[in-house]
Amino acid sequence: MLKITIEDIQLNDVQPLGYMRLPSYAVLFQSSLVSGWARFVPARDNPLGYVGETLQVEVNQESTSQFVHSSTASEALVTPLATLGDYRIRGTIASIDSISDPPDGFTVVISVGETAFCLSHLDIDRRNLSVGATIEFTAHEVSLWDEEI
């Protein structure tokens, strides 16, 4: 979870997101980690009512790229990139868990300050991954989901 304050919401920029194709809006947000733009999926019917509000959100991304492994611990970092909604992420691998389908599948949780990014075997190669290691990557099309959903 990430605690954010929504500073601006673009009501004319609506796109469906997720399996349920819920409406999302471009928002300018601020948190202790970063300020920037992302897609926001509200739980309530009045998205404009979120402007100025501080709330907890779950963080997701459409895709990832440019992985770099580091053998030394580094400070968590989230940096906005030139493409709105894209961020350079640096965090610590908190867990690596096997999943049953597919049989060789797995998830990786990367702790980044007060939030976490969850990646699957489709996003990252398991080789050279270890809990506690520092990793950097680019998260594309970051979305923020109201925790009330």
Side-chain angles (χ1 to χ4, degrees), residues 83-103:
T83 301
L84 293 182
D86 287 5
Y87 293 85
R88 188 70 184 162
I89 309 296
R90 181 173 57 219
T92 303
I93 297 175
S95 67
I96 303 169
D97 299 304
S98 296
I99 58 175
S100 60
D101 189 22

Side-chain angles (χ1 to χ4, degrees), residues 9-17 21-27 38-42 45 47-48:
I9 189 164
Q10 301 294 307
L11 294 177
N12 60 344
D13 186 356
V14 183
Q15 294 178 12
L17 271 187
R21 310 305 291 160
L22 297 172
S24 73
Y25 302 87
V27 295
R39 303 298 310 172
F40 173 66
V41 180
D45 289 336
L48 196 55

Side-chain angles (χ1 to χ4, degrees), residues 103-115:
D104 59 347
F106 63 94
T107 60
V108 177
V109 175
I110 300 172
S111 176
V112 183
E114 66 183 81
T115 194

Side-chain angles (χ1 to χ4, degrees), residues 34-53:
V34 66
S35 294
W37 288 91
R39 303 298 310 172
F40 173 66
V41 180
R44 301 189 302 255
D45 289 336
N46 178 16
L48 196 55
Y50 284 95
V51 174
E53 185 174 331

